Amino acid sequence: GDIRNLSDLQSAIADAKPDIVIHMAAQSLVRLSYVEPVETFATNVMGTVNLLEAIRHVPGIAAVVIVTSDKCYENTGSPKGYSETDPMGGHDPYSSSKGCAEIVTAAYRRSFSQDAGTAIASARAGNVIGGGDWARDRLVPDMIRAFMAKEVVKIRNPAAVRPWQHVLDPIIGYLVLVERLVRDGRQFAEGWNFGPERESAQPVSVLVETLARKWGDGARWERDAGNHPHEAAFLGLDCSKAEALLKWHPLIGLDNALQLSTDWYRAFHKGLNMRDVTLQQIRTVAELANQPLHSS
């Protein structure tokens, strides 16, 4: 279905009668948002409105997590990580739409969730990487496609700093948050950052060089000198709130995140059973989660 269609979404939620809802449907690409701004806002803002409106009329939903983006914050160029109390904003349509989705979520939480008994939270992750991502105009998938084709990768902004993290780290965070929402209710119904440790906030060039080295086989890159839309020079997250109150910590350092990603795409390139590969990677990270929490 299409989350922009309120009646269809209402019917789907009413039929499912879920206990928990995790909202991850989105137009998720910054560059595409310049080409399709109306669709981006319709999907990311009104899609979120539609979901929250649909769950409002279904009794028994204990917890809802609306997943937005680290780009929801008004990026002032500050070298510090953004915390949950910083203002929403966004230069481009994608980032702005995610800031709007956060404001919509807060409005529904304050206006309706208390009567419904549903705990609604939002989650903001960093720049996620990991096997299975094939989206265009995303750094790692673009690099992998070029490596597989033995082409030189063109990089738009090698100096831009981003909080890189493996996708399984924030997913663990979302599940920890859901557990607390179900158990403790509205006490945890707020916005939450799930980013990597500060050491993983690195320039694009570091990620590109490391991934090319891990891939090997003549992988090369060069700077793309063309004209490109605006991109923030620095973006980081302050995750001290989740660490202190949810006892969540990132488990996968940047080097391991890139190794897991490289291993996944190499397995795909070799034609292996990707369900088995993916489940094994999940088991590997789950084992880390059962150890004393620290970066690996």
Side-chain angles (χ1 to χ4, degrees):
D2 190 329
I3 60 169
R4 294 172 298 179
N5 187 317
L6 175 58
S7 61
D8 284 356
L9 186 57
Q10 285 177 321
S11 296
I13 297 293
D15 290 344
K17 297 181 177 62
D19 299 307
I20 296 164
V21 176
I22 302 177
H23 176 47
M24 302 181 76
Q27 192 300 91
S28 60
L29 302 174
V30 173
R31 284 168 65 86
L32 183 61
S33 78
Y34 283 100
V35 179
E36 300 178 350
V38 174
E39 182 171 343
T40 298
F41 281 107
T43 302
N44 295 351
V45 183
M46 287 310 301
T48 301
V49 171
N50 289 344
L51 177 73
L52 290 167
E53 182 64 16
I55 67 171
R56 186 163 74 91
H57 300 286
V58 177
I61 298 177
V64 178
V65 173
I66 306 294
V67 178
T68 61
S69 169
D70 57 350
K71 295 176 181 63
C72 67
Y73 294 107
E74 181 64 35
N75 195 318
T76 61
S78 170
K80 75 176 184 67
Y82 293 98
S83 68
E84 290 85 350
T85 57
D86 284 322
M88 299 293 104
H91 181 280
D92 55 88
Y94 169 78
S95 302
S96 175
S97 74
K98 289 300 189 176
C100 291
E102 286 282 353
I103 294 170
V104 165
T105 301
Y108 264 81
R109 178 170 56 236
R110 293 166 181 159
S111 300
F112 305 116
S113 67
Q114 186 168 357
D115 294 337
T118 302
I120 302 174
S122 61
R124 307 145 190 180
N127 278 53
V128 296
I129 61 176
D133 184 0
W134 295 107
R136 296 205 171 270
D137 289 323
R138 282 175 59 83
L139 181 59
V140 171
D142 285 350
M143 291 181 67
I144 294 298
R145 276 188 290 268
F147 293 166
M148 289 181 177
K150 298 189 181 302
E151 297 173 351
V152 177
V153 181
K154 293 185 178 297
I155 302 300
R156 297 190 301 269
N157 191 357
V161 176
R162 295 291 182 269
W164 311 103
Q165 64 184 144
H166 193 273
V167 64
L168 292 177
D169 252 341
I171 285 176
I172 291 171
Y174 303 160
L175 296 177
V176 170
L177 176 57
V178 164
E179 186 176 31
R180 297 307 296 268
L181 289 170
V182 171
R183 188 167 62 192
D184 300 312
R186 284 185 293 276
Q187 180 182 348
F188 292 87
E190 300 174 338
W192 298 86
N193 288 344
F194 295 101
E197 292 188 339
R198 190 166 183 83
E199 294 75 21
S200 292
Q202 294 288 338
V204 168
S205 59
V206 170
L207 181 140
V208 171
E209 288 283 4
T210 305
L211 188 61
R213 184 175 66 252
K214 289 182 179 297
W215 186 267
D217 197 24
R220 295 180 296 129
W221 70 279
E222 63 184 27
R223 180 163 187 167
D224 187 344
N227 293 322
H228 304 290
H230 170 272
E231 293 184 73
F234 178 86
L235 180 60
L237 289 174
D238 178 348
C239 302
S240 56
K241 176 182 171 182
E243 293 175 357
L245 300 181
L246 296 176
K247 308 305 179 187
W248 171 89
H249 298 266
L251 298 166
I252 310 167
L254 180 57
D255 190 72
N256 276 358
L258 289 170
Q259 190 63 58
L260 285 166
S261 302
T262 304
D263 291 346
W264 195 98
Y265 287 111
R266 274 223 173 271
F268 176 88
H269 196 43
K270 292 176 180 177
L272 301 184
N273 183 312
M274 296 316 299
R275 177 177 173 80
D276 291 345
V277 171
T278 302
L279 289 174
Q280 182 54 52
Q281 290 199 344
I282 291 171
R283 283 191 288 268
T284 298
V285 175
E287 289 172 4
L288 291 176
N290 290 327
Q291 297 173 8
L293 295 178
H294 57 79
S295 182
S296 301

